[in-house]
Every structure is written in structure tokens, then in C-alpha cells.
Amino acid sequence: LVFAVKSGEFEIDKKGLIKEVRHYRQNNERKIINEFIEFLSIPNVSADTKNIRKNALFIKEMMEKRGIEVKILETKGNPVVYGELNVPNATQTLLFYVHYDGQPVEPSKWIDSLPFKPMIRKGKLEAGTTIPKPIQFSAIKGPINEEWRIYARGSSDDRAPIICYMAALDAINKSNIRLKNNLKFIFEGEEEAGSTNLRECLVTNQKLLKSDILFMCDGPGYFSGDPTLFFGVRGIVSLQVTVYGANTNLHSGHYGNWAPNPAMSLAKLLASMKDDRGRVLIDGFYDTVVPLGEGEKKALNNIPDFDDKLKSLYGFLTPEDPQKRLTHAIQQPSLNICGIRSGWVGNEARTIVPSLATASLDIRMVKGNEGSYMAKKVVDFIKKQGYFVTSTEPTLQERLSHAKVAKVALRESGYKAYRTSMDLPISRSVIKALYGYDSKTVMIPTLGGSLPISMFSEVLDIPVIGIPIANYDNNQHQANENIRIGHLWKGIETFATIFMMGKAQK
Amino acid sequence: LVFAVKSGEFEIDKKGLIKEVRHYRQNNERKIINEFIEFLSIPNVSADTKNIRKNALFIKEMMEKRGIEVKILETKGNPVVYGELNVPNATQTLLFYVHYDGQPVEPSKWIDSLPFKPMIRKGKLEAGTTIPKPIQFSAIKGPINEEWRIYARGSSDDRAPIICYMAALDAINKSNIRLKNNLKFIFEGEEEAGSTNLRECLVTNQKLLKSDILFMCDGPGYFSGDPTLFFGVRGIVSLQVTVYGANTNLHSGHYGNWAPNPAMSLAKLLASMKDDRGRVLIDGFYDTVVPLGEGEKKALNNIPDFDDKLKSLYGFLTPEDPQKRLTHAIQQPSLNICGIRSGWVGNEARTIVPSLATASLDIRMVKGNEGSYMAKKVVDFIKKQGYFVTSTEPTLQERLSHAKVAKVALRESGYKAYRTSMDLPISRSVIKALYGYDSKTVMIPTLGGSLPISMFSEVLDIPVIGIPIANYDNNQHQANENIRIGHLWKGIETFATIFMMGKAQK
């Protein structure tokens, strides 16, 4: 293994640390969960500014109890909660990011519980059922099982890491372990509303936030439940392609197989963009990809294979490229059709030749890809297929001068791709800190989804590594959001280990 | 010309006839229009049964004035008005069909007029304007211009032919011309409501309706404004094809370029169905087409080319097959995409891999094609592309057993294709009757659209030929429906000529 640990001494320290933290947690499970339930009882929908401030103040109080120096950073929107814990002789500063706000809620879709009345279920709510039944935590006596789950908005996304940080600090403190690193925390209050004011807050507080690394603790961990590190995210750029036929829907009898059918033109255009194994045929689509290093490739191959389970879960037999694992596929840029609209189907179907056909596409980018470059490649490809391409509604003159007319609109600027090398000294330290832990760490070079990580890296000029701790099946952004208690326990141990990580060796 | 007229005597008769009819019309224009306006003032929406009956009685009275023997044929729905005019020594019986009911109306969309308050405009209502202004006919003095139009529901579709029949009979009668053929008329009162009771009425009155030929006088004539005969219509069968990916929409970041994308699968499937010039690549698609005869091919080539005007009007440069004229293209079966739905586009776009993609297709059939055979060819083709095809929602087991899964549903049984040969003795007589008329007759082997013609031909066991007389730009089924007065005049002459057509020569 390329990330093999060389120092025997360090190994011993870590094992001891985990033993202490686990011991502390086992003796304080009820206390930890009680504090979490109190926290989760405060509504945290981004738009509910009054309760959002209650969350901020609750977090401030929790942090101050642990000796963290807290500042509420006011923005044009919801407050950012900032905290720091400085240690004498610390040689590194670690910055942790999560958001404390949550997605809007539809209480009627919560089964036998409510978003802000946290309840325990003794297992995962089975799809299409109401069992296991929710129980008030205070009504449960005796030992707590790690398969149980807490159901509440924000239980996973994204209040769980905050509770884990607090418990990890308590454990370190109670065990008289000396903290090695300065810790900083930044908790955003409007991530689910688009992080509109975050960049300005980071810029304004650049000095305050100065650190060696930022840990992004948002989102779910890997399917296997093992501690997960991710070193990058895919960027995204969205396009909308519209192709034109006649300027009005035409009767499919009177004009069918004479009037050009834009639904067919679009089908042919889209079909020409990818081969039968999902490889994008657009010239230059893969040219700017920064290849994975050897270490990253090895890490990738070490990720437990969850594909068969996912295929059963999602009800399909064969992925786009039958020979590529999910984790490997998402290390490449993707071209995805998000939607197609032309004419009508089903009960609304009309026997017409539609006047236009529209496809919504997204391109997920990896390190090296740049949004406007990728969009231009798509436009160039469409032109190469014989289309006159415009970015605005084509004029009659344009329609009458070109056999094939397409409008391509960039739907949004999107997020940039980002990837921290696993070979950076600080990356190696993070990996080392988790190495030898009782479950294998899953190290993902690039997550499939997109997060505004590059914003942190650009404004603060530091590497970013992701440490998500929630269970993958947490119903994020939906009703019945939950966290598996075993994942909370693992989160506490993971963060304690990171808090105590060794100094990056150049 | 294959339809060249051999008898000089007949020529002379016809020229004399047209001269007489035109003379009669010129001297009675105001009377004809007044009667039409009275007729058009009776609301004729199919669902308005009270007014529908008023229409029937008005028609009955008009016919009886011309010596036609009238019967109201009651059905489970609106009454059918039947009439016959028998002539001593007639050797042929001609049956004429139109419907007297009209489409529902949205009065607010009628510009400065109302559906059942007929008005004259001194020209075509220009798109996007309110001119020329509507004028009450009674307020107009002096000569009537054939470019004027009457605006009212049913002015073209389908009450105009009825007025033309009446005026043609008046002209023949006033000119002391002896009618050569027995005439029968069948006027339906619920065509716009789906002709639900027509078949039963035809079956019940089979004997009464016995004739040598049925003339279907519904719909607009050819774009050029010349008298139009059509000898067939395309049939239609509609299909809906759904292809499947995962059983839920998946995040396009986490799963994009791994989870199969059914929008792309559908694009590839549809794209494979036709070549770049619109030829259908489905095996057997053209195998059952009964080819056009030599006469039909010639007639087709004689149709004035209106394609450039249509392309300008509809705003496109190149038809599906750049080398095929509209009139020629519609002589073949077509495969048309009426609509595609998958995921979302525009403001609703979501960054997902959609779980399914659906296309609504219609096949327009020509003589020889049969709906269930054509649908089977499509299914066979989809199977050949590697799909497991089901007619119901696929089960999880089916999804997990096949890489590609499609559902194909037949949307409706549709209308059958129909074509009367132009070489039948009676067809030749009809063609001959119009030959030598001052404008060239447009003879269309098969109309692009679908009409329930095969029902008449099956139940009554007679050939059917279409004689539509309305202007093509009559706003049929829409607000501001109208008829050009010149088309009315031509309609009178056309029907008079047909009433007087010669005996079919074996």
C-alpha cells in the first residue's frame, strides 16, 4: 500500500486514542443523544430566520461549553457560526465545515413522526411500511443499539457532524489527551438556500479562517458504512439544447414524413453524442482530464464493490458501461441527459409533428475540466453535425437559411471540479491518521456529485478533503431523514482521530 | 394524359352546363349568401342538441324546397338528415356525405365577431391584426367580390357543401337541365363528437343508402384553390414506447455515467428507426404498401407544387427527405414521433438520471398497411435492438433480468387506410366530369390525414371519393373559421358538374 504507515510509535498512539474515545462514548451514549435531540428539536429550515438564529445560539453554547471561542459572523443572510480552539505549540490548524440549516419540510410525508420532533426507530423504516414504529428517546430504557436510527430533519444533513465534533472533544478532554492541532469550525446557516453569502463571508474573514486544511463534512459516507474520505468533487455545467422544425405543431397526417420532425432530429443528435458503452464521442471531451495518480488508482481499487447491491436496489441489470464500476465511472467527466421534452405523450398525446424538441443536459466535470470549455466542445460538436447554432431563439430568416437549427443555452454557471492530490503531505497525514482504524477507510479521489469546494480552496488557498459521516440511506432532502446511531459513534471516533492527526511531513 | 376525354359531345354538354350554373349564380349571389347566413346563424356545436335539431330541421326545409324527399334518421345521438332525389331513367345513384355539426367554440377568441353571428370580411383576416373589419352582410351594397370571406363556425367545416348542393340544384333546375343521376344525401350531426352512432345508422339504413359511389365532401381542398378530388386517406395507429433505467430518478452526479440513462437509450432507439432522409428502417415497414398505379403517379405529378410556399409559411428550409414533395411523401406510410417525455427541462430541469423515457409515435398507413401488422413490425424491431418488450409495466424481476427493457402500448385502434383506384370506371367518370373545367383539377391518390372513410366503403360496399371545397386556410376547428366566397362559387360549379356526371363505362 502506497500510504503504508512508517512510524510504529504513531500506530500505538492512535489505537490508544480510539480505545479512550470509544470508552468515553460507551459511557455517555444517552447524554450524547440527549444533547443531539435537543439540537434537532430546533427547526432549521433555511428560510425560518428566527429558528435559524436559535440554532446558531444553541451551537454557540455547545461550543463554548467545550472551551471553543465562538464568533457569530453576520452575513446578508443567515449567521455563520465560527469557533476556534487553540492549543499551545500546535503546528497545524484544521478547519471544519458543515451547515446547520436544513431543507424545507413537508410534515405530512413524515410517517408517524414530525421533522422537528426527533424520534428513535429500532431499525430503518422499511419502504412502503410504517415500521419499526417511532419511539420517544426518553421512553427507551437500557442499552442503545447501533442499528437504531434518529429520525429528524438535519439528523444527517448536516447537524450530525456538529454533535460528533462536540462528543469527540469531550472524549479527548475527559481522557486527558493533549490536543495536537488548532481546531477551527465554520458552520453555515443557508447552504440549503444556495450559500448566497458564503463567499463574501469567507473573503471578509480570510485571516480569521487561516488554516492548513479544510474538512468538508457534508453528505453521506460510502455505502459500505466504512469511514470515508473524499479528495474531490465533480463540477457541473448545465446546457439546454433545442432543435427546431416548423414554427408551429403540424398535423401528423397532413405533414408527417414531409415536415422535419425535431424530436427525431434531437434523438439523432443525442444518440450521436455517446457510443453504446457510454463513452462521449464529442471531440475533446476527455482531453483536459487530469489523470489520477498511481496512489489514487490504488485507493479506487480498494473501495469495496457495492455495485451489485445498488443494481438490485435500483432495479436494473447493466450499467451504462457494463465493465465499469460506479466508483471508477465517476472519476471521468459525464454527459447526462436530465430531460427531454417534445410534443406530448400519454393521455395528452396529440397526433402532431412537434415544432421543437428540447433536451436538458448536464456535464459533470473532473479536475482539469472547465465549464465554458466543455460547453464549447458540445456546441462545436453540434455544429459539426450540420447545425446552425444560436444562443437565442432563432429568427425566421435563420430558420429559412439552415436545414438544421439548434439553440444552445448555458443554464447555470455551476460548480467547478476540484481534487486534492492524495500525495500532498497533508493528505498523507489525514490518510495516515485513519489508517489502522478497525474498519478500512474508503478513499474516493472524486465524488460523483458537485459541492462548492473550490470556493473554499480558492478563497482560503488551502486543500480541502471531505469526511462525510452519515449513512448513505439517510433520506437526505426528503421526508423521514435519519441517522443511524452506529454512524454517529463512528463519526465521533473519526473526528477524534482527525483532531489528533500528525503533522504533515514534507 | 391517361384520363383524356374521348367523347366530344360530353365536352360540349359540360361547358354549357358550367356556363348556365355560373350565370345562375351570378344573378343570385345575394340570395345564396343570405340563405347561408341564415343557416350559419343556428349554433351547431355537437353537444348543443337543441340547436343541432334546429339545424337538422333547417336543412330538411332547404332540401324539401328543392324537391328532395327528406327523412330524419334518428340515432342514439344527434339526428342524421337523409334526402334523395330520384330521376326517371337514371342509371346511377350518387351519395353525398358531410356533417352539419361543428367544433366547440371559444367566442372570446373570435376577433370582433362571434361564431354564430356570421360576418363578411373583405379579405382574409391578417394574422395578428383585426383587419379587414367584419361587416354585416345586409350592410353591404353592390357587387360581391370572390376574395371576401364569411366568418362563422361551420362556414367551411362542414356546412358550406350543403349550401353549394342546394345552389347547384337550383341552377340546374332554373336552367331546365335534366338531371342525369339519382342523388342521395347523408348529413351527420355529431362528426365533431366522434361519429359514435354513424356506423349503426349506416348498417340500419344500408338499403336506403344504396348507391354507386359516396362523395365525402368534408375538409379543405388543395392549397392551390383548384377543385380537388381525393381517392384515399391514410390510416393511423398510435403507439407509446417507454424505456426504463433505474426504478427511481437518480442524482446525476452520484450516478451519472454509471446508471443507465433511458433518455439516451430512447434517443438511440428512435434514431435507429429512420435514416437521415426519413426512410423507415424497420424491417417490413414498406412491404405491404399497395403501389400507386401509373394513372395515380401521373395525377400526383400534375398536382401544383405548393411546397416552397408551405416551407416559408411554416419557417423551415428542408423537408425530412429534401428530394420528396409533400404530395409524394404522404403516399407512403410514415413513422412520426408525436412527443417525448423524460425527466424535466427548462426552469423545471433537475440534475438527475431519469428513471424512464417515453415516446408517443404514430404510424400513418396507406392502402395495404394494417394497424396490428405495422405495430408488430415496430415491436419486432425494438426486440431486434436487444430489448425485452412488454405491454405492461415491467416487474422488478424483468428489470433485473434484461439489460434493456421497453414497454410498448397500442394507444388506440385508429382508422384504416383507404384508397379507391383512379382506374375504376366510376372513378374515371368522376375525373371526366371535372376534366376541361376552367381550372385544373387536383387529384390526390391519398390524403395525408385520416378519416373514417373505410367505414362507408365497408358498410355500404361502394367506392368513396373525396370532394372537399373549402379554402385550406379556413381556420377549421379554431376561432375565426371562414370560407372564401370564391370557393363557395367553385363548390357550386363542382357539385353541379358531379350531379351531371356521365355513366361509368365498364
Side-chain angles (χ1 to χ4, degrees):
Chain A
L1 234 184
V2 73
F3 303 110
V5 174
K6 282 154 208 150
S7 146
E9 182 201 9
F10 183 80
E11 281 293 286
I12 295 157
D13 280 356
K14 182 167 49 182
K15 280 188 182 158
L17 169 69
I18 288 180
K19 199 177 148 192
E20 291 293 334
V21 172
R22 190 167 298 172
H23 190 251
Y24 168 82
R25 181 264 297 170
Q26 284 164 341
N27 290 325
N28 291 277
E29 288 182 350
R30 191 160 285 271
K31 190 180 138 198
I32 297 166
I33 293 179
N34 273 328
E35 187 174 26
F36 196 22
I37 283 177
E38 198 181 344
F39 185 17
L40 293 175
S41 302
I42 313 170
N44 75 334
V45 176
S46 320
D48 178 0
T49 51
K50 200 173 155 190
N51 275 311
I52 279 291
R53 194 158 292 271
K54 273 192 197 165
N55 274 271
L57 295 175
F58 187 88
I59 296 166
K60 180 171 184 276
E61 201 176 304
M62 281 198 292
M63 290 168 92
E64 284 172 344
K65 268 185 208 161
R66 275 81 183 183
I68 302 170
E69 193 178 328
V70 181
K71 273 191 188 174
I72 301 283
L73 307 178
E74 296 296 342
T75 72
K76 283 174 194 154
N78 293 340
V80 168
V81 183
Y82 170 79
E84 60 180 67
L85 189 59
N86 291 314
V87 182
N89 306 320
T91 50
Q92 284 181 143
T93 301
L94 316 178
L95 174 60
F96 294 84
Y97 164 90
V98 288
H99 60 90
Y100 63 86
D101 65 314
Q103 278 275 318
V105 290
E106 284 182 279
S108 65
K109 295 199 173 162
W110 288 66
I111 293 171
D112 298 337
S113 73
L114 288 167
F116 301 115
K117 302 275 179 219
M119 299 292 256
I120 305 291
R121 291 184 193 260
K122 293 187 168 177
K124 182 180 172 178
L125 177 62
E126 287 170 42
T129 76
T130 60
I131 54 167
K133 293 281 165 214
I135 309 168
Q136 286 236 353
F137 182 57
S138 56
I140 298 175
K141 308 294 165 201
I144 292 160
N145 188 306
E146 64 177 22
E147 294 302 336
W148 296 358
R149 295 179 181 220
I150 305 172
Y151 280 78
R153 168 61 80 231
S155 56
S156 266
D157 178 26
D158 212 11
R159 296 195 273 192
I162 300 177
I163 278 297
C164 293
Y165 302 143
M166 299 302 119
L169 284 174
D170 287 343
I172 289 169
N173 195 31
K174 286 284 155 64
S175 312
N176 287 317
I177 300 167
R178 189 169 55 81
L179 204 55
K180 281 186 182 177
N181 300 294
N182 292 330
L183 304 181
K184 294 185 176 180
F185 299 93
I186 176 167
F187 300 147
E188 189 189 0
E190 53 187 17
E191 197 267 354
E192 301 293 7
S195 297
T196 332
N197 302 295
L198 186 60
R199 180 178 282 271
E200 196 181 312
C201 176
L202 297 180
V203 170
T204 311
N205 297 287
Q206 225 164 348
K207 260 196 174 162
L208 189 69
L209 294 163
K210 193 172 154 46
S211 311
D212 294 290
I213 186 166
L214 181 137
F215 292 104
M216 152 80 66
C217 305
D218 194 2
Y222 191 67
F223 307 105
S224 61
D226 296 312
T228 304
L229 295 178
F230 64 87
F231 293 81
V233 286
R234 292 204 284 189
I236 182 169
V237 60
S238 296
L239 297 168
Q240 186 155 295
V241 179
T242 302
V243 302
Y244 298 85
N247 53 19
T248 181
N249 297 329
L250 291 175
H251 190 286
S252 73
H254 298 326
Y255 298 100
N257 64 335
W258 181 70
N261 187 318
M264 180 56 90
S265 307
L266 183 66
K268 284 188 178 282
L269 180 61
L270 295 172
S272 69
M273 290 183 178
K274 282 175 116 169
D275 74 12
D276 285 340
R277 287 181 51 190
R279 189 165 172 87
V280 178
L281 300 173
I282 292 171
D283 303 313
F285 196 80
Y286 298 104
D287 287 1
T288 54
V289 171
V290 175
L292 296 182
E294 283 311 305
E296 286 155 337
K297 285 183 191 166
K298 279 191 191 156
L300 204 52
N301 288 330
N302 283 331
I303 298 175
D305 190 342
F306 212 73
D307 287 14
D308 284 343
K309 282 188 187 155
L310 287 174
K311 287 187 272 180
S312 299
L313 178 65
Y314 293 131
F316 64 87
L317 179 67
T318 315
E320 205 171 80
D321 180 346
Q323 311 210 301
K324 223 174 227 170
R325 284 182 49 193
L326 170 57
T327 42
H328 291 65
I330 59 177
Q331 303 307 315
Q332 289 291 311
S334 73
L335 176 74
N336 178 61
I337 306 175
C338 303
I340 304 181
R341 274 286 179 292
S342 185
W344 293 269
V345 303
N347 291 336
E348 295 177 319
R350 304 174 198 184
T351 50
I352 53 148
V353 182
S355 66
L356 48 81
T358 299
S360 167
L361 305 176
D362 71 26
I363 297 170
R364 298 280 174 168
M365 299 176 288
V366 299
K367 188 168 184 180
N369 297 151
E370 199 270 313
S372 61
Y373 177 88
M374 298 302 273
K376 187 176 177 308
K377 291 289 133 186
V378 175
V379 169
D380 288 348
F381 178 85
I382 297 174
K383 285 180 181 167
K384 205 177 137 194
Q385 309 306 306
Y387 279 87
F388 167 77
V389 178
T390 165
S391 61
T392 52
E393 204 58 19
T395 63
L396 180 63
Q397 193 46 46
E398 285 166 344
R399 283 159 165 260
L400 290 174
S401 318
H402 304 277
K404 294 164 137 190
V405 177
K407 180 175 77 175
V408 180
L410 229 67
R411 263 210 306 117
E412 51 186 67
S413 61
Y415 291 139
K416 291 183 186 174
Y418 177 81
R419 195 170 75 230
T420 304
S421 167
M422 286 188 187
D423 287 323
L424 286 184
I426 197 142
S427 302
R428 296 175 64 92
S429 293
V430 173
I431 293 164
K432 218 184 214 175
L434 286 174
Y435 182 74
Y437 185 38
D438 54 4
S439 55
K440 207 168 165 182
T441 305
V442 171
M443 294 186 291
I444 305 173
T446 312
L447 269 196
S450 305
L451 291 167
I453 288 191
S454 66
M455 189 205 297
F456 292 106
S457 131
E458 279 170 21
V459 178
L460 305 179
D461 193 25
I462 50 173
V464 178
I465 292 177
I467 312 184
I469 60 149
N471 39 297
Y472 81 96
D473 55 355
N474 68 49
N475 291 341
Q476 193 178 342
H477 290 201
Q478 298 168 54
N480 308 303
E481 183 180 343
N482 65 85
I483 188 136
R484 182 177 163 276
I485 287 177
H487 276 72
L488 274 185
W489 300 162
K490 205 165 267 178
I492 296 168
E493 294 174 6
T494 303
F495 290 135
T497 311
I498 296 293
F499 290 168
M500 294 296 293
M501 69 180 258
K503 171 90 182 104
Q505 305 291 332
K506 291 229 170 130
Chain B
L1 234 185
V2 74
F3 303 108
V5 174
K6 281 152 208 150
S7 147
E9 182 202 7
F10 182 81
E11 281 293 287
I12 295 154
D13 280 355
K14 181 166 52 182
K15 279 189 183 159
L17 169 70
I18 288 182
K19 198 177 149 192
E20 291 293 333
V21 171
R22 191 167 298 173
H23 188 251
Y24 170 82
R25 183 264 297 170
Q26 284 164 341
N27 290 325
N28 292 277
E29 289 182 350
R30 191 161 285 272
K31 188 179 138 200
I32 297 166
I33 293 179
N34 273 329
E35 187 174 27
F36 196 21
I37 283 177
E38 198 182 342
F39 184 16
L40 293 175
S41 302
I42 312 170
N44 75 333
V45 176
S46 321
D48 178 1
T49 51
K50 200 173 155 189
N51 275 311
I52 279 290
R53 194 159 291 271
K54 274 192 197 165
N55 274 273
L57 295 175
F58 187 88
I59 296 166
K60 180 171 183 277
E61 202 176 303
M62 282 196 293
M63 291 168 91
E64 284 171 345
K65 267 186 210 162
R66 275 82 184 183
I68 302 170
E69 194 179 327
V70 181
K71 271 191 189 174
I72 301 283
L73 308 178
E74 296 297 341
T75 72
K76 282 176 194 154
N78 292 339
V80 168
V81 183
Y82 170 78
E84 60 181 67
L85 189 60
N86 292 312
V87 182
N89 306 320
T91 51
Q92 285 181 143
T93 302
L94 316 178
L95 174 60
F96 295 83
Y97 164 90
V98 289
H99 60 89
Y100 63 85
D101 64 314
Q103 278 276 318
V105 290
E106 285 183 278
S108 65
K109 294 198 174 163
W110 288 66
I111 293 171
D112 298 338
S113 74
L114 288 167
F116 302 114
K117 301 273 180 222
M119 299 291 257
I120 306 290
R121 291 184 192 260
K122 292 187 168 178
K124 181 180 173 178
L125 177 62
E126 288 171 41
T129 76
T130 60
I131 55 168
K133 293 280 164 214
I135 309 168
Q136 287 236 352
F137 182 58
S138 56
I140 298 175
K141 309 294 168 204
I144 293 161
N145 188 306
E146 64 175 22
E147 293 302 335
W148 298 357
R149 294 178 183 222
I150 305 172
Y151 281 78
R153 169 61 81 231
S155 56
S156 266
D157 178 25
D158 213 8
R159 296 195 273 192
I162 300 177
I163 279 296
C164 294
Y165 302 143
M166 299 302 119
L169 284 174
D170 287 343
I172 289 168
N173 196 33
K174 287 282 156 62
S175 312
N176 288 316
I177 300 169
R178 189 169 54 80
L179 203 55
K180 283 187 183 177
N181 300 294
N182 292 329
L183 305 181
K184 294 185 176 180
F185 299 94
I186 176 166
F187 300 149
E188 188 190 1
E190 52 188 19
E191 196 267 354
E192 302 293 6
S195 296
T196 331
N197 302 295
L198 186 59
R199 181 179 281 270
E200 197 180 312
C201 176
L202 297 181
V203 170
T204 310
N205 297 286
Q206 225 165 348
K207 261 193 172 166
L208 189 69
L209 294 163
K210 192 172 155 46
S211 311
D212 294 290
I213 186 166
L214 181 138
F215 292 103
M216 151 80 66
C217 306
D218 194 2
Y222 191 67
F223 307 105
S224 61
D226 296 313
T228 304
L229 296 179
F230 65 87
F231 294 80
V233 286
R234 293 204 284 190
I236 181 169
V237 60
S238 297
L239 298 168
Q240 186 155 297
V241 179
T242 302
V243 301
Y244 298 85
N247 52 19
T248 181
N249 296 329
L250 291 175
H251 190 286
S252 73
H254 298 327
Y255 298 99
N257 65 336
W258 182 70
N261 187 318
M264 180 56 89
S265 307
L266 183 66
K268 285 187 178 284
L269 179 61
L270 295 172
S272 70
M273 290 183 179
K274 282 176 118 169
D275 74 11
D276 285 340
R277 288 182 51 190
R279 188 165 173 85
V280 178
L281 301 172
I282 292 170
D283 303 312
F285 195 81
Y286 299 103
D287 286 0
T288 54
V289 172
V290 175
L292 296 182
E294 282 312 304
E296 286 155 338
K297 284 184 192 165
K298 279 193 189 154
L300 205 53
N301 289 329
N302 282 331
I303 298 176
D305 190 341
F306 212 73
D307 286 15
D308 284 343
K309 282 188 188 153
L310 286 175
K311 288 188 271 179
S312 299
L313 178 66
Y314 292 132
F316 64 86
L317 179 67
T318 315
E320 206 172 80
D321 180 345
Q323 312 212 298
K324 221 174 230 170
R325 283 182 49 193
L326 170 57
T327 41
H328 292 64
I330 58 177
Q331 303 308 315
Q332 289 292 311
S334 72
L335 176 74
N336 178 62
I337 306 174
C338 302
I340 305 181
R341 274 286 178 296
S342 184
W344 293 270
V345 303
N347 292 333
E348 294 177 317
R350 306 175 196 182
T351 50
I352 53 148
V353 182
S355 66
L356 49 81
T358 299
S360 166
L361 305 176
D362 70 28
I363 297 170
R364 298 278 174 170
M365 299 176 288
V366 298
K367 189 170 184 179
N369 297 151
E370 199 271 314
S372 61
Y373 177 87
M374 298 302 273
K376 188 177 176 310
K377 291 289 134 187
V378 175
V379 169
D380 288 347
F381 178 84
I382 297 173
K383 285 180 181 166
K384 204 178 139 193
Q385 310 304 307
Y387 279 87
F388 167 77
V389 178
T390 166
S391 60
T392 53
E393 204 59 19
T395 63
L396 180 62
Q397 193 47 46
E398 286 166 343
R399 284 160 165 258
L400 290 174
S401 318
H402 304 277
K404 293 164 139 190
V405 177
K407 180 175 77 175
V408 179
L410 228 68
R411 266 209 307 118
E412 51 187 65
S413 61
Y415 291 139
K416 291 182 185 172
Y418 178 80
R419 196 169 76 230
T420 303
S421 167
M422 285 188 187
D423 286 324
L424 287 184
I426 196 140
S427 302
R428 297 175 63 92
S429 293
V430 173
I431 294 164
K432 218 183 213 175
L434 286 174
Y435 181 76
Y437 185 37
D438 54 4
S439 54
K440 207 169 164 181
T441 305
V442 171
M443 293 185 292
I444 305 174
T446 312
L447 270 195
S450 304
L451 291 168
I453 288 191
S454 65
M455 189 204 297
F456 291 105
S457 131
E458 279 169 20
V459 178
L460 304 179
D461 193 25
I462 50 173
V464 179
I465 291 178
I467 312 185
I469 60 149
N471 39 297
Y472 81 96
D473 55 355
N474 68 48
N475 292 340
Q476 193 178 343
H477 290 203
Q478 300 169 51
N480 308 303
E481 183 181 344
N482 65 86
I483 187 133
R484 183 177 162 274
I485 287 176
H487 276 71
L488 274 186
W489 300 161
K490 204 165 270 180
I492 296 168
E493 294 174 7
T494 303
F495 291 134
T497 312
I498 295 293
F499 290 169
M500 295 295 295
M501 70 181 256
K503 170 89 182 103
Q505 306 291 333
K506 291 233 169 126

